[in-house]
Amino acid sequence: MGKLEIERIQKSYGDNQVLANISFTVQDGEFVAIVGPSGSGKSTLFRLIGGISKPDAGAISLNHKDITGLRGFISYMPQASSLLPWRTVLKNVMLGKEIVAGKTNEEQALEMIARAGLAGYEHAYPHQLSGGMKQRVSFLRSILSPQPIICLDEPFSALDEWTRLEMQKWLLSIWQQYQRSILFVTHHIEEALFLADRIIVLSEKPAIVKKEVSIPFERPRSEDIVLSKVFLEYKKMIYHELRGS
Ligand SMILES: Nc1ncnc2c1ncn2[C@@H]1O[C@H](COP(=O)(O)OP(=O)(O)OP(=O)(O)O)[C@@H](O)[C@H]1O
Ligand SMILES: [Mg+2]
């Protein structure tokens, strides 16, 4: 079960008011994407949800339990890579499991590493990987941790178009298999449309929720939807919403 409720969250850093008033819900098993201008407070919002910092006002709850300011309830992949340089790929991937469950499952981790195109790098160290490879490793770590909600902050931004599409399809297949709730930040409108059940559009800072859009494409999703007329219409609508016109 993973129902996340964000209620009237506010956050400032000194005089810099970042989040004016944010409320939304992620239903159990839902895939929600957040798009918003750079600097609108998306990563700030994620840090609040992950309990890394505290909101000035408002509440965050998971399955009706207040988790405001508490860590460990949400699997959180930060925007910058957070791999431990002294651990191998395999050991980094298994970290999420160790911390929370106290148990490791090497076989599952190895299989996921291979499916992410990292076979042969299981025992490599982060400094031996490209930026995109590092992103994939930290992504695997968050997906393998046991929390019911995963927050991903632009997990595919360092990947080329082709790898990005492969990872998107792979993420969808894992999500369908594991039935977790996902909250996903991206700059890429097409990515949000391809992946999400619902898209939340944030305004410039101080951020409010400008619009919530339900995405009509059925699942499992085929790559072909990106060529459809409906897809283009939604893309335009969200683009205009973001641009404020
Ligand atoms: N720890 C911090 N201390 C002070 N100011 C901060 C801190 N973290 C973020 N900010 C400020 O909060 C605002 C929002 O930053 P944030 O990183 O949340 O934006 P974002 O929407 O994730 O941007 P991007 O799309 O570029 O990743 C910025 O003005 C930033 O300077
Ligand atoms: Mg950010």
Side-chain angles (χ1 to χ4, degrees), residues 13 16 18 36-45 47 79 153-154 185 187 202 205:
Y13 293 105
N16 183 9
V18 181
S38 188
S40 59
K42 303 179 297 297
S43 297
T44 300
L45 178 63
R47 282 194 296 274
Q79 191 166 2
D153 196 349
E154 305 199 40
V185 165
H187 272 111
L202 296 188
K205 104 185 142 75

